[in-house]
Amino acid sequence: MESTPHTPYLLVHDPVVGLGVVRLAAGQRITLGRAPTNDVVVHDERASRFHAEVFPTATGWSIRDLNSRNGTLLGGRPLTGDEPLSPGDVVSIGLAEIRFCSGDAPQEGAVDDVGGLTETGTVPGAGSALPASITHRRSHSRLLDDMHASAAHVPRVGRAAAELCRLAFAVGRAGDLRGIAALALDSALQGTGALRGIVLLPADTAAPPSAAALEAAAAAPDAWSPTALPTDVAGAVLAGNEALMVEAGTGPDRRPTTLSAPIRAQGRAVGVMHLEANPDRAADPDDLEYLMAVCDALALALDNVSAREALSTKLATVADENERLRRRLGEDAPMVGTSAALQGIVGQIQRVAASKATVLVRGESGVGKELVARAIHEASDRRTAPFVCLNCAALSETLLESELFGHEKGSFTGATERKIGKFEAAHRGTLMLDEIGEMAPALQAKFLRVLEGHPFERVGGSTRVQVDVRVVAATNRNLEDAVMAGGFRRDLYFRLKVVEIIVPPLRRRPEDVESLARHFLERFAAETGRKIRGFTPAAIRALQTYHWPGNIRELRNCVERAVVLAAAEWIDVDDLTLSQLAAAGDSGRAASAGDPFVPTTIEELERRHVMATLEAVGGNKTKAAAILGIERSTLDRKLAKWARA
């Protein structure tokens, strides 16, 4: 790739790998360190995994140290903060030196990515540093020249070795079985001086070797007739798995001397190369040795072709599976609906995706908060990197720390090997943390530090790990109340709430219910093979008037159940199983949206309110009791009483 004039670049001198050039592009951040994921990998144990970074500023380029273990030197002095770079500045990390240059970057052949020298012996942009000189030049190796056309004093072994070497290069470039067989046969004819030959290979290498199952893969100089195929000799070669030289007979029916050698797959003879010698040149055992060497080279090339074909088939299968999963993902979580609320969310996603801001997604359970996080990832420039999800409420404090930051072998009981955490797994991608309000206060401090861009250490480790991750957090809790109660850090709350997206519950956007229901119907009908044509008008009305306490998750499950159990082609009201549970925050309302007020007792209202609170916290009695302001034992007594009623 040609460099553009006057583009800044880094000239890297690493004693291990030599010289290299890294061109700087506008808006690009270049990381330097020992980890292989860096843009500039420093092969020195004194370098940290993520040691320093070069980044663009409004006035040019600057460098900063990433809290490295041994520090970074700029012009021989330690970096203490962000420092601007000027052409000629030298950055030192251990024994590696990185020179910041401006102007025409070195062209191909002067200094490449793995090191190189100029004609004059100095590296462009480096002044008089790193002197060197070129002593020899070669455009090709004479060892691969045609030894048969060279001087007669060249030993036969040397000619054979050169021919075999040239054959290895030739078959390495060939792409199909017949092409490789033809190259090998041509080499065998040249090396032995034979008049003609044929390569016989099986149509199915998995079948037992048999002369009758062999087919001609190559023949020279002309094709052989079926009656001339050496099936008798081929059968003997396959049976003995050894090369044979058959001397010519005497008399008027004298036949030419033949050379035959096995073509082996994993040590087993599966094919045969058969040559007819020139009567004017007596064949000898050395010719048979050479033929065996050609056949072994041919067998290895055929194994490689088979492996490539198998790998190509596997890769095609994996690609098909990835495409199927991608389509399935798109079907599983599309932004379906036409409501103004949903369109507002889509607009927010499009605006926030282009930034690196942390996003807090809020809404009731089941409204699709993970879907919003995935949409942000897919719309951003991180879409090709991983999207990693973790539910903070599903793990204890210790396990959550290990899942987030990883752990070293032996750091705790059961840690039998090193494990990278979700932050490392999502490097340069997006990490979605669901139920962020459930994170333990002790872990919130470490999480906040990583959010601020600082490196972290795995559990039980001392190596500092630097990652580039965009965090999208989600919660159905009132974080403000948690902050006031001391259960959630105030500074973390404000760090997460850079951009806030509130996903309204499904009951507040009833215009989306029908389109969502039809979407799920098409999907589950295709999966189950059921011939379901749609919903009856009465079923649509029931879906639209229902209050959906479980939101989109409940709608999805309701439609799936109806598709599986429906007896007719149309889903009717009787096929829908709608809960009588009140929606979160609607404890005193009637069971269905639109129903008139029904007088009831205080005890019944209390029961509805308690059950709605339990539903909102996922059945966690301790949390429900705290929210209700009663003891856990009191809640247990009430639940037992209502269960007996």
Side-chain angles (χ1 to χ4, degrees):
M1 181 181 68
E2 296 184 358
S3 62
T4 58
H6 309 299
T7 299
Y9 60 95
L10 300 178
L11 183 64
V12 182
H13 178 219
D14 190 323
V16 176
V17 298
L19 299 172
V21 170
V22 177
R23 296 173 177 85
L24 303 179
Q28 181 184 12
R29 183 175 68 96
I30 301 296
T31 60
L32 305 89
R34 188 161 41 85
T37 55
N38 285 286
D39 301 290
V40 176
V41 180
V42 180
H43 301 81
D44 193 312
E45 287 300 316
R46 285 167 289 189
S48 299
R49 285 178 52 81
F50 298 91
H51 197 101
E53 65 177 1
V54 175
F55 58 96
T57 64
T59 58
W61 292 83
S62 295
I63 186 170
R64 72 162 61 103
D65 183 87
L66 298 177
N67 296 319
S68 63
R69 184 175 64 252
N70 295 308
T72 305
L73 301 180
L74 176 60
R77 55 184 178 82
L79 279 178
T80 57
D82 295 353
E83 291 280 351
L85 290 171
S86 301
D89 283 350
V90 176
V91 177
S92 300
I93 300 176
L95 294 178
E97 292 186 351
I98 301 93
R99 183 182 296 270
F100 180 76
C101 304
S102 180
D104 295 337
Q107 301 297 316
E108 296 294 332
V111 177
D112 55 28
D113 289 339
V114 296
L117 297 173
T118 63
E119 188 72 45
T120 60
T122 60
V123 179
S128 60
L130 310 175
S133 60
I134 298 173
T135 59
H136 296 80
R137 289 185 179 275
R138 291 285 186 273
S139 60
H140 69 282
S141 171
R142 61 183 177 83
L143 296 178
L144 297 180
D145 289 341
D146 188 357
M147 296 296 293
H148 294 283
S150 60
H153 67 270
V154 176
R156 183 175 182 181
V157 173
R159 296 197 303 272
E163 180 62 36
L164 289 173
C165 182
R166 190 163 51 252
L167 173 63
F169 276 88
V171 299
R173 291 189 294 267
D176 60 87
L177 182 147
R178 292 187 177 275
I180 293 174
L183 288 171
L185 180 59
D186 180 67
S187 178
L189 292 174
Q190 288 192 41
T192 62
L195 286 180
R196 66 173 187 160
I198 189 170
V199 177
L200 301 172
L201 293 172
D204 182 9
T205 56
S210 168
L214 297 180
E215 299 177 352
D222 300 312
W224 293 40
S225 65
T227 56
L229 294 179
T231 54
D232 52 345
V233 177
V237 171
L238 293 175
N241 195 16
E242 58 185 2
L244 302 175
M245 184 171 70
V246 181
E247 294 287 354
T250 59
D253 296 330
R254 182 178 182 270
R255 304 175 68 181
T257 300
T258 61
L259 304 169
S260 306
I263 302 170
R264 302 181 177 98
Q266 298 180 349
R268 179 175 65 106
V270 296
V272 176
M273 182 181 291
H274 180 78
L275 306 179
E276 289 187 357
N278 188 341
D280 298 332
R281 178 184 179 277
D284 57 35
D286 287 341
D287 294 324
L288 194 62
E289 291 275 357
Y290 180 77
L291 178 60
M292 291 180 66
V294 170
C295 287
D296 287 343
L298 170 60
L300 181 60
L302 295 179
D303 284 343
N304 291 337
V305 169
S306 299
R308 283 204 305 269
E309 291 176 350
L311 180 59
S312 298
T313 302
K314 185 175 182 180
L315 290 176
T317 303
V318 171
D320 292 342
E321 180 68 11
N322 287 342
E323 181 62 26
R324 186 188 68 80
L325 291 175
R326 192 179 297 275
R327 289 197 304 268
R328 174 68 180 273
L329 177 62
E331 294 169 357
D332 191 37
M335 303 290 284
V336 176
T338 58
S339 66
L342 181 63
Q343 297 309 310
I345 293 173
V346 172
Q348 283 183 287
I349 290 173
Q350 293 173 346
R351 289 191 295 273
V352 75
S355 71
K356 296 182 179 180
T358 304
V359 181
L360 179 62
V361 184
R362 306 179 72 163
E364 296 178 6
S365 178
V367 295
K369 297 187 289 296
E370 182 178 339
L371 170 61
V372 172
R374 188 178 293 277
I376 293 172
H377 173 75
E378 292 296 333
S380 71
D381 56 2
R382 299 171 179 260
R383 67 180 67 89
T384 57
F387 176 79
V388 180
C389 294
L390 180 63
N391 190 320
C392 298
L395 300 169
S396 66
E397 178 181 348
T398 303
L399 290 178
L400 180 57
E401 183 179 13
S402 173
E403 283 294 316
L404 279 174
F405 306 110
H407 62 252
E408 297 289 348
K409 180 179 179 181
S411 57
F412 54 83
T413 302
T416 57
E417 58 184 15
R418 170 188 283 184
K419 174 184 176 181
I420 67 169
K422 300 301 184 185
F423 267 106
E424 285 184 83
H427 182 54
R428 296 187 176 175
T430 304
L431 174 61
M432 190 262 186
L433 296 177
D434 199 5
E435 305 296 349
I436 190 67
E438 307 301 325
M439 182 180 290
L443 193 55
Q444 292 175 21
K446 186 174 182 179
F447 175 57
L448 174 62
R449 183 169 176 80
V450 178
L451 277 183
E452 296 289 353
H454 297 284
F456 61 89
E457 297 174 356
R458 302 186 190 95
V459 177
S462 58
T463 302
R464 308 184 77 181
V465 181
Q466 182 75 45
V467 293
D468 175 18
V469 174
R470 195 224 187 115
V471 173
V472 178
T475 183
N476 60 7
R477 287 187 58 186
N478 189 319
L479 290 184
E480 291 78 8
D481 290 347
V483 171
M484 296 300 295
F488 200 81
R489 292 179 62 101
R490 183 181 298 269
D491 49 2
L492 178 57
Y493 167 77
F494 288 111
R495 183 64 182 82
L496 289 174
K497 197 179 176 181
V498 177
V499 177
E500 184 179 50
I501 297 179
I502 299 177
V503 186
L506 187 57
R507 63 182 176 276
R508 296 183 184 172
R509 45 190 182 103
E511 57 268 42
D512 291 338
V513 171
E514 182 176 355
S515 55
L516 281 167
R518 295 189 187 281
H519 165 75
F520 290 131
L521 173 64
E522 293 176 2
R523 173 188 165 184
F524 293 124
E527 286 185 1
T528 60
R530 297 292 309 277
K531 302 297 183 182
I532 304 296
R533 300 176 62 182
F535 298 95
T536 64
I540 291 294
R541 285 194 298 273
L543 292 174
Q544 290 177 331
T545 56
Y546 180 60
H547 62 291
W548 299 111
N551 291 295
I552 298 176
R553 182 183 294 118
E554 183 185 5
L555 174 60
R556 174 187 180 278
N557 295 341
C558 177
V559 174
E560 182 178 13
R561 182 166 50 248
V563 169
V564 172
L565 300 179
E569 292 183 339
W570 295 88
I571 294 178
D572 204 351
V573 177
D574 295 338
D575 299 314
L576 303 175
T577 304
L578 302 178
S579 168
Q580 297 301 310
L581 184 67
D586 295 336
S587 309
R589 56 161 297 145
S592 299
D595 287 351
F597 172 74
V598 178
T600 187
T601 65
I602 294 296
E603 184 177 1
E604 176 61 20
L605 285 177
E606 180 187 26
R607 186 188 68 81
R608 291 182 184 178
H609 181 71
V610 170
M611 299 305 294
T613 304
L614 271 173
E615 170 70 15
V617 297
N620 190 315
K621 295 181 181 180
T622 302
K623 294 180 182 178
I627 293 172
L628 293 168
I630 61 177
E631 296 292 334
R632 166 66 185 270
S633 59
T634 303
L635 177 60
D636 288 334
R637 286 196 300 272
K638 289 180 179 294
L639 294 175
K641 174 184 174 182
W642 294 330
R644 291 193 301 268

